[in-house]
Amino acid sequence: MRAPAALPTSLKWGPLAIMVFWIAVMGLLYAVMTQYLKPKPVLVSASGSLVIPRTRDGHFYASGTVNGKPVNFLVDTGASLVTVSEQFARSAGFSAGVPTTFQTANGALPGRIVSDIPITLGPMNVSGMKVGVGLAGAEVGDALLGQSFLSKFEIVLSRDQMTLRQR
């Protein structure tokens, strides 16, 4: 009886090489798309207005602080309050607040409202703000920038940017 012939080297390593190639291609695509979809930085104009560029997903994002702790805001003109997650509120040292139920697009959401919180967005500072606690499904450092903050400014929307001006 004859021993089976050994597989050629190309048949042994070929499938592995193909798999490594596609993993490298997918990793490169992920890195490129992550950079491509990254929100553009907020600009401060010479007049002191804050210019927030629209991102490729159609939203406006800006970095700021809530109670001195950094956050990434999603500008939400339909939200009544600046809103953060419970985990963020604990890490930022929020007090207990007033229990409430938020009415969201996804239904009722239990939470609380905390008063006298300072909020910063670029050069714009507003103290004594009410902040909703109970944002669900977001990263710890994400927050909604709602009308409790936005109503303090004149908002001008153009096709690809939102401009906030002091009133």
Side-chain angles (χ1 to χ4, degrees):
M1 177 142 190
R2 211 165 119 191
L7 287 175
T9 303
S10 62
L11 288 178
K12 288 181 184 175
W13 295 104
L16 181 62
I18 291 170
M19 189 170 71
V20 168
F21 170 78
W22 283 112
I23 289 173
V25 167
M26 295 306 290
L28 180 64
L29 283 173
Y30 177 79
V32 167
M33 290 306 293
T34 300
Q35 190 64 28
Y36 178 73
L37 294 174
K38 190 177 187 179
K40 297 173 186 167
V42 174
L43 305 170
V44 180
S45 71
S47 65
S49 298
L50 194 66
V51 180
I52 306 169
R54 185 185 307 266
T55 59
R56 287 173 175 59
D57 68 0
H59 298 295
F60 297 94
Y61 298 94
S63 296
T65 65
V66 174
N67 208 29
K69 189 163 173 64
V71 294
N72 297 312
F73 286 115
L74 165 61
V75 180
D76 187 350
T77 57
S80 300
L81 298 171
V82 171
T83 309
V84 298
S85 68
E86 184 64 48
Q87 188 176 0
F88 178 89
R90 280 193 302 271
S91 70
F94 284 18
S95 60
V98 177
T100 191
T101 301
F102 297 110
Q103 298 303 320
T104 72
N106 293 327
L109 182 68
R112 57 192 170 104
I113 298 175
V114 181
S115 298
D116 295 326
I117 303 294
I119 297 175
T120 302
L121 184 66
M124 300 173 171
N125 299 306
V126 179
S127 58
M129 300 295 303
K130 289 184 178 182
V131 174
V133 176
L135 183 62
E139 297 291 322
V140 175
D142 291 344
L144 294 179
L145 188 66
Q147 287 297 325
S148 60
F149 182 87
L150 295 172
S151 66
K152 310 287 186 207
F153 303 93
E154 176 187 350
I155 300 173
V156 178
L157 276 175
S158 68
R159 201 179 86 156
D160 292 325
Q161 66 186 24
M162 176 184 289
T163 304
L164 276 66
R165 295 184 185 124
Q166 294 280 347
R167 287 188 188 238

